[in-house]
């Protein structure tokens, strides 16, 4: 799976796909904590780990855990 995604996302940053509303994010290094607003959707991490922070709560998702967002959340 990782090899297939690397072939689609050849450089860091967002890559649009042929599927409407589906995009890939590639990062080859840790990213600093940045405030974001998640729109409704699903985030699937295929390699590595992603952490989201809301107040003192830490949400971690990785290749074994996904994030599903049903309403916009910071």
């Amino acid at each position: 799976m990782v090899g297939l995604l690397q072939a689609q996302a050849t450089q860091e940053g967002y890559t649009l796909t042929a599927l409407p509303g589906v995009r890939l994010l590639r990062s080859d290094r840790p990213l600093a904590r940045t405030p974001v607003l998640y729109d409704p959707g699903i985030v699937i991490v295929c390699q590595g780990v992603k952490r989201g922070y809301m107040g003192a709560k830490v949400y971690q998702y990785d290749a074994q855990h996904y994030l599903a967002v049903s309403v916009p959340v910071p």
Side-chain angles (χ1 to χ4, degrees), residues 17-60:
T17 69
L19 300 171
V22 176
R23 61 186 176 165
L24 307 173
L25 172 61
R26 177 176 176 170
S27 177
D28 297 328
R29 58 189 163 72
L31 300 175
R33 286 174 64 167
T34 304
V36 297
L37 177 66
Y38 281 103
D39 289 325
I42 185 168
V43 177
I44 301 171
V45 176
C46 292
Q47 188 175 32
V49 63
K50 184 167 177 64
R51 288 181 192 92
Y53 301 89
M54 185 180 285
K57 182 76 174 159
V58 178
Y59 297 90
Q60 181 170 304

